[in-house]
Amino acid sequence: MTEQSFPAMSGTLVEPQPAVAPTPKFWRRTAPALTAAALVAGLFGGVTGAVVASPDGTSAGSSVVAQTVSSSSAPDWSAVASTVLSSVVQVNVGDGLGSGVVLTADGRILTNNHVVAAAGGQVTVTLNDGRQVPATVVATDPASDLAVLQASGVSGLTPVKWADSASVKVGDAVMAIGSPSGLQGTVTTGIVSALDRKVTVPGETRRAQPVSYQAIQTDASINPGNSGGALVNAAGELIGINSAIYSPASSSGEAGSVGIGFAIPSNQAKQIVDRLS
């Protein structure tokens, strides 16, 4: 695979030169004025019809046998959302927010390091049922942009189910779940656009050093606030932690989805979790 670098881009979307890709941006933003939570479920359905002629070589004018071929292979995204939503939380940090996934019934939570890097110890999580509880940062791994939190006074949460990210294929259907712009419980769907995408995010205020990893690329819509949230397969299993997007906006502009998002693969995330826990 050709390793790609991500130089800074201007506020205008331009076509990169060969083997050069644009700069992904982390999604952490100030808390929005919006207060209503929204659930947006992407549903794929319908019947694909096809007329199949009789295989016996019937001549013109003779009766033609036809049949309708239907497809029922589309994922049941409503069922996936119902299964996974309870395993995703909103992470509140001062005037910013992100997302996280539930690791244990007693409140261990995985999120991005850049979501909590400037927390100063002031972290709360909003559970799927609307409860807001305090949380502490247990451990961080800035090099992988992952962090583990512990929510206080909770029990009976639904841990996310892990998938083997090595089995993910380009074109697989996926769902992203998180709190874009504070709209907790938002789900969007898409496909896996590429695998082993070399992503390098330059250092900034919250990160002294650049962060690099081999990412899963997806076109599922993800925006500021989705950081640390779940990217799941059609079985509702975690294949990645949403972490960065490419946006043509300048550094002073607000990043938004253009269909190029990146997630830390679940196998890598699981290794880091096992080490940090």
Side-chain angles (χ1 to χ4, degrees):
M1 183 195 72
T2 300
E3 182 171 310
Q4 296 174 308
S5 60
F6 290 77
M9 299 291 291
S10 69
T12 302
L13 179 61
V14 298
E15 183 178 3
Q17 297 299 312
V20 177
T23 304
K25 298 184 179 182
F26 285 124
W27 323 307
R28 182 177 178 273
R29 54 165 292 165
T30 55
L34 294 172
T35 57
L39 174 61
V40 183
L43 301 177
F44 286 67
V47 175
T48 301
V51 177
V52 182
S54 172
D56 62 1
T58 305
S59 62
S62 301
S63 60
V64 177
V65 178
Q67 66 183 30
T68 300
V69 178
S70 64
S71 172
S72 59
S73 61
D76 184 350
W77 289 127
S78 180
V80 173
S82 296
T83 299
V84 185
L85 276 168
S86 60
S87 301
V88 180
V89 303
Q90 180 172 301
V91 178
N92 311 295
V93 183
D95 62 351
L97 58 88
S99 303
V101 298
V102 176
L103 299 176
T104 64
D106 63 353
R108 281 293 169 105
I109 293 166
L110 177 63
T111 188
N112 283 141
N113 177 67
H114 74 263
V115 171
V116 298
Q122 302 300 312
V123 181
T124 65
V125 296
T126 306
L127 306 179
N128 181 247
D129 61 11
R131 286 180 293 160
Q132 187 171 109
V133 298
T136 56
V137 179
V138 174
T140 63
D141 186 57
S144 66
D145 192 28
L146 293 171
V148 175
L149 312 179
Q150 177 64 55
S152 301
V154 297
S155 62
L157 301 185
T158 304
V160 72
K161 294 181 179 179
W162 294 85
D164 178 6
S165 58
S167 66
V168 175
K169 302 183 295 297
V170 173
D172 281 353
V174 293
M175 172 181 282
I177 307 176
S179 296
S181 297
L183 299 173
Q184 186 175 5
T186 294
V187 306
T188 55
T189 60
I191 63 168
V192 172
S193 303
L195 296 171
D196 297 320
R197 184 71 79 194
K198 177 69 173 180
V199 172
T200 300
V201 183
E204 55 165 75
T205 303
R206 295 184 299 277
R207 301 179 315 283
Q209 301 296 324
V211 175
S212 296
Y213 47 87
Q214 302 293 132
I216 296 171
Q217 182 181 329
T218 178
D219 68 348
S221 180
I222 40 185
N223 288 283
N226 273 112
S227 283
L231 186 69
V232 301
N233 59 22
E237 301 165 331
L238 186 73
I239 65 167
I241 299 296
N242 298 319
S243 56
I245 59 173
Y246 161 64
S247 175
S250 65
S251 59
S252 60
E254 183 61 68
S257 175
V258 292
I260 306 175
F262 305 99
I264 300 168
S266 60
N267 286 4
Q268 178 182 340
K270 186 66 165 57
Q271 291 176 354
I272 300 299
V273 167
D274 290 343
R275 179 164 60 81
L276 295 180
S277 300

